[in-house]
């Protein structure tokens, strides 16, 4: 077709990159159902599974990050970067994209570099309040840079920046489920306050250990119930450690597929401070205690969390303090209706809705121009 639109979306590695990428693709398809969209990810990373489930084709590059602890291993990394760039050139020849979107992650580097070298207009989407290395390197070549936080001109050229927010999973904001219905999904008592604890799909050891270390305090508070996603990686170990000790008001699962229901049931969420999760909390106005992971580049999760804390829109707890303080703080907060209402009102003020639509419009403008 002469008017057919062809777009590459590249990046991934975590849900924080993949969910926005799929949301952008869905927004483009809603505007142009005839659009051909090809995802380019990193072999062995979760996008290779998640993207096809969302109905899109994906090609994997043999790309990986630099090993800062074992420098000699980077000889292999350099080879894979070279090989990925060669593959990216071949993908461009075969697919002939009219625009490229980078969402961060290993694969977006070689793919968008090659697209820019071929004169294909590129847009990058930065989810965090502290820009990732790949996006900082791509910024000079990008036509547009879509961000979720103010003040990002310290990383990117000001004239390219558009404040769009982060696209989130559409079902989270479109759900019509009532709290009563959501509680029934998980076998919860709708009369009790509910704390939802999540550490991402793989889980978070600190959050898990915080619960395991405070089972007596949880059992003693009969007015509260906890819905705890342990993560599949930790589920067997936790099941063993809970044998004969699990309080009746602690509901344990390795993975929650229906996060819309989980958020609806929750009065308070305990979470890491990934950019996509924070964007979701803003859009649904959910009070949250953030425990940033210390194991991420540039400590960007702490920076994400502080952007909310500075506006009294979330509670922050340092990872090293969580095992001693998290459960006590969560039980105290969920019982305080005034605090919950204040946090909810303030986090809603930070919401940037329709992000995927705005980014899709920018992609269309690049093609038209």
């Amino acid at each position: 077709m002469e008017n057919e639109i062809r777009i590459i979306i590249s990046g991934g590695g975590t849900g924080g990159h993949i969910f926005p990428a799929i949301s952008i693709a869905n927004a483009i398809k809603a505007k142009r159902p005839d659009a051909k969209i090809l995802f380019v990810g990193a072999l062995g990373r979760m996008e290779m599974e998640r993207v096809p489930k969302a109905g899109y084709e994906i090609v994997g590059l043999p790309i990986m990050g630099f090993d800062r602890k074992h420098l000699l291993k980077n000889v292999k990394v350099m080879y894979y970067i070279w090989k990925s760039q060669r593959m990216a050139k071949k993908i461009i020849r075969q697919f002939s994209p009219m625009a490229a979107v980078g969402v961060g992650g290993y694969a977006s580097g070689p793919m968008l570099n090659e697209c820019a070298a071929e004169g294909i207009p590129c847009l990058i989407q930065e989810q965090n309040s502290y820009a990732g290395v790949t996006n900082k390197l791509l910024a000079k070549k990008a036509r547009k840079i879509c961000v979720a936080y103010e003040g990002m001109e310290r990383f990117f050229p000001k004239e390219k920046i558009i404040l769009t927010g982060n696209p989130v999973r559409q079902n989270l904001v479109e759900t019509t489920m009532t709290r009563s219905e959501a509680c029934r999904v998980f076998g919860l008592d709708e009369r009790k306050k509910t704390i939802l604890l999540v550490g991402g799909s793989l889980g978070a050891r600190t959050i898990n250990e915080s619960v395991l270390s405070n089972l007596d305090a949880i059992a003693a508070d009969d007015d509260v119930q906890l819905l705890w996603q342990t993560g599949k990686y930790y589920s067997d170990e936790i099941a063993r450690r809970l044998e004969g000790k699990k309080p009746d008001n602690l509901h344990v699962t390795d993975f929650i597929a229906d996060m819309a229901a989980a958020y609806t049931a929750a009065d308070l969420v305990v979470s890491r401070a990934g950019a996509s999760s924070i964007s979701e909390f803003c859009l649904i106005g959910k009070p949250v205690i953030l425990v940033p992971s210390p194991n991420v580049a540039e400590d960007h999760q702490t920076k994400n969390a502080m952007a909310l804390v500075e506006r009294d829109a979330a509670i922050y707890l340092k990872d090293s303090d969580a095992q001693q303080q998290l459960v006590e703080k969560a039980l105290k907060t969920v019982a305080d209706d005034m605090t919950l209402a204040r946090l909810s009102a303030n986090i809603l003020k930070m919401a940037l809705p329709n992000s995927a639509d705005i980014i899709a419009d920018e992609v269309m403008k690049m093609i038209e121009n």
Side-chain angles (χ1 to χ4, degrees):
M1 276 178 66
E2 189 177 333
N3 295 324
E4 184 179 82
I5 286 177
R6 295 178 303 283
I7 299 165
I8 280 177
I9 299 178
S10 185
T14 67
H17 294 306
I18 298 164
F19 295 138
I22 292 171
S23 294
I24 293 166
N26 290 343
I28 292 169
K29 292 289 279 186
K31 296 173 188 297
R32 286 292 299 264
D34 62 315
K36 303 295 182 187
I37 298 175
L38 176 66
F39 279 76
V40 179
L43 287 172
R45 305 292 286 186
M46 62 193 298
E47 60 264 26
M48 302 306 296
E49 177 186 349
R50 296 284 179 89
V51 169
K53 284 183 178 179
Y56 294 100
E57 181 184 354
I58 186 167
V59 177
L61 301 180
I63 188 77
M64 61 179 65
F66 282 100
D67 191 328
R68 295 174 184 175
K69 294 181 180 178
H70 308 94
L71 296 180
L72 287 176
K73 290 185 178 180
N74 291 320
V75 174
K76 187 177 181 180
V77 174
M78 293 300 294
Y79 168 72
Y80 282 131
I81 290 174
W82 173 81
K83 188 174 181 181
S84 295
Q85 288 173 332
R86 300 255 306 185
M87 288 181 65
K89 288 180 181 179
K90 185 177 180 182
I91 291 166
I92 291 168
R93 285 198 304 271
Q94 293 175 340
F95 187 68
S96 299
M98 296 169 169
V101 177
V103 296
Y106 302 141
S108 63
M111 194 67 244
L112 265 73
N113 265 323
E114 293 302 326
C115 283
E118 296 284 341
I120 297 160
C122 298
L123 176 150
I124 59 176
Q125 197 255 329
E126 175 56 60
Q127 295 97 20
N128 293 292
S129 61
Y130 194 94
V133 173
T134 301
N135 277 347
K136 283 192 281 189
L137 293 172
L138 291 171
K140 291 179 182 178
K141 301 175 182 180
R143 300 268 183 96
K144 299 288 182 182
I145 303 170
C146 297
V147 301
Y149 293 89
E150 295 175 351
M152 296 301 285
E153 57 272 8
R154 67 192 192 277
F155 303 112
F156 303 129
K158 187 176 181 179
E159 67 277 6
K160 296 182 180 183
I161 293 174
I162 306 168
L163 183 64
T164 61
N166 283 324
V168 302
R169 293 170 280 188
Q170 286 98 324
N171 67 316
L172 297 181
V173 291
E174 293 171 359
T175 184
T176 58
M177 185 178 292
T178 65
R179 184 176 184 276
S180 177
E181 291 168 339
C183 285
R184 283 200 294 272
V185 169
F186 301 104
L188 299 170
D189 184 343
E190 65 179 280
R191 296 167 297 180
K192 293 184 177 184
K193 292 286 188 70
T194 301
I195 301 171
L196 170 66
L197 301 108
V198 288
S201 57
L202 296 178
R205 178 175 289 279
T206 296
I207 293 175
N208 290 344
E209 290 297 332
S210 300
V211 175
L212 290 167
S213 299
N214 292 274
L215 295 177
D216 290 342
I218 292 168
D221 196 332
D222 199 42
D223 296 324
V224 177
Q225 58 198 342
L226 281 69
L227 176 58
W228 177 24
Q229 178 183 274
T230 64
K232 293 183 178 181
Y233 182 80
Y234 299 104
S235 59
D236 290 343
E237 176 196 352
I238 287 171
R240 178 178 53 78
R241 291 172 66 180
L242 283 175
E243 282 182 15
K245 300 177 183 177
K246 189 181 82 65
D248 292 338
N249 59 339
L250 180 62
H251 300 256
V252 186
T253 180
D254 63 344
F255 179 72
I256 297 173
D258 191 349
M259 285 305 300
Y263 285 151
T264 301
D267 297 283
L268 174 69
V269 180
V270 173
S271 172
R272 289 302 201 187
S276 286
S277 296
I278 286 179
S279 294
E280 291 171 358
F281 303 145
C282 291
L283 284 166
I284 61 178
K286 193 60 61 173
V288 60
I289 297 176
L290 296 171
V291 187
S293 171
N295 305 312
V296 294
E298 312 289 354
D299 196 26
H300 68 250
Q301 284 203 6
T302 296
K303 296 175 176 74
N304 291 346
M306 295 315 294
L308 271 66
V309 172
E310 288 165 4
R311 300 192 186 189
D312 193 23
I315 295 171
Y316 161 73
L317 191 60
K318 193 174 180 180
D319 184 87
S320 58
D321 294 333
Q323 194 163 336
Q324 295 297 321
Q325 300 177 23
L326 178 57
V327 167
E328 180 184 356
K329 186 176 286 286
L331 292 173
K332 183 179 178 181
T333 302
V334 81
D336 187 339
D337 289 336
M338 288 184 65
T339 296
L340 293 178
R342 187 183 76 251
L343 291 172
S344 180
N346 289 341
I347 202 169
L348 268 173
K349 293 174 186 174
M350 298 186 69
L352 292 167
N354 306 316
S355 299
D357 278 336
I358 296 168
I359 295 170
D361 285 339
E362 292 299 326
V363 175
M364 295 301 178
K365 286 178 193 175
M366 289 196 314
I367 293 173
E368 290 166 6
N369 293 335

